[in-house]
């Protein structure tokens, strides 16, 4: 999934900036400490600097593979060979970037202190160990993802896309996959006498209706291509998307309440959540129909009157 890969890549960049920032902060503290003790660029200081870079380099494959694994398991998407090669390339590039940084900034300093050979040897070891970690880590990550996906009972994203007539990329943008998976999982486990199937179908109908909000505004054909009309259309689509996101999130939170024993449900929270949903839907024609579709689901929470 191209959109999921892009989302993960964005998380990668944030993590790399974090790793680089932590490394820079550690080195700054080392410089201050050793300068105050009149040991700037002493063997101990240089060893600590190298150790900081080694730590950062080790963190790259560990943290990026953790992100890749957790995100793919969240969306139930396997890691294919093409993506595997892309990840290896990303991690290798980031490691080489750090190697280049320490070489550019510190090799001459090590050389001035007759530690050039030690520096070069340490750099080779860093690079070798990093490559080993990347190769081992990617293999274990692929195996772990495949194993967990095979044992997963959650509904697959492509099936959700079919049920709700939405593209998988849209589900990702809405951050709706995990919430909808939870809704299906909880309602699917309910006894038949609780009308969970009817409630789930109501949720589906509500989402289908809400997905149309913002897409059916009327614009005078004479002004359809004007700047104002385009702006109005864009803002209407954004508002409709936010309403849909609010609907899915609301059902997600409520289904978690439903999964609790009756005596542990918080009626006050439930009422406030529904009130907020009604407010977000109120600007759109058809909002009452959406709430009507949610009726069977709301009734399962024993607060049917609060949705009217």
């Amino acid at each position: 999934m191209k959109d999921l890969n892009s989302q993960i890549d964005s998380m990668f960049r944030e993590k790399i900036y974090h790793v680089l920032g932590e490394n820079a902060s550690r080195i700054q503290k080392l410089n201050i400490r050793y300068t105050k003790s009149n040991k700037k660029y002493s063997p101990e200081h240089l060893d600590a600097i190298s150790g900081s870079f080694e730590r950062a380099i080790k963190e790259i494959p560990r943290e990026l593979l953790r992100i890749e694994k957790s995100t793919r398991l969240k969306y139930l998407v396997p890691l294919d060979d093409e993506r595997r090669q892309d990840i290896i390339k990303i991690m290798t590039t980031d490691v080489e970037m750090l190697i280049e940084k320490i070489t550019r900034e510190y090799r001459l300093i090590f050389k001035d202190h007759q530690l050039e050979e030690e520096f070069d040897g340490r750099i080779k070891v860093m690079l070798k160990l990093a490559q080993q970690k990347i190769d081992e880590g990617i293999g274990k990550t692929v195996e772990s993802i495949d194993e967990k996906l095979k044992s997963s009972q959650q509904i697959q994203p492509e099936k959700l896309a079919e049920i709700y007539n939405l593209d998988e990329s849209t589900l990702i943008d809405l951050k709706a996959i995990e919430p909808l998976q939870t809704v299906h999982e909880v309602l699917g486990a309910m006894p038949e006498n609780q009308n969970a199937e009817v409630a789930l179908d109501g949720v589906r109908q509500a989402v289908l209706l809400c997905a149309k909000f913002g897409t059916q505004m009327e614009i005078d054909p004479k002004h359809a291509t004007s700047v104002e009309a385009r702006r109005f259309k864009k803002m209407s689509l954004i508002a409709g998307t936010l309403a849909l996101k609010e609907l899915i999130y609301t059902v997600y939170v409520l289904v978690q309440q439903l999964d609790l024993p009756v005596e542990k449900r918080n009626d006050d929270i439930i009422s406030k959540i529904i009130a907020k949903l009604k407010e977000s839907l109120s600007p759109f024609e058809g909002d009452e129909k959406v709430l009507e579709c949610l009726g069977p689901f709301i009734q399962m929470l024993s607060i049917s009157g609060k949705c009217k």
Side-chain angles (χ1 to χ4, degrees), residues 18-19 27 40 76 146 200 209 243 257 267:
H18 180 72
V19 170
I27 289 178
K40 185 177 182 179
L76 300 180
D146 287 345
L200 185 57
L209 288 171
Q257 286 286 322
D267 284 354

Side-chain angles (χ1 to χ4, degrees), residues 196-213:
E197 186 175 345
V198 175
L200 185 57
D201 185 63
V203 170
R204 174 179 174 274
Q205 293 298 330
V207 171
L208 291 174
L209 288 171
C210 194
K212 297 178 182 179
F213 286 176

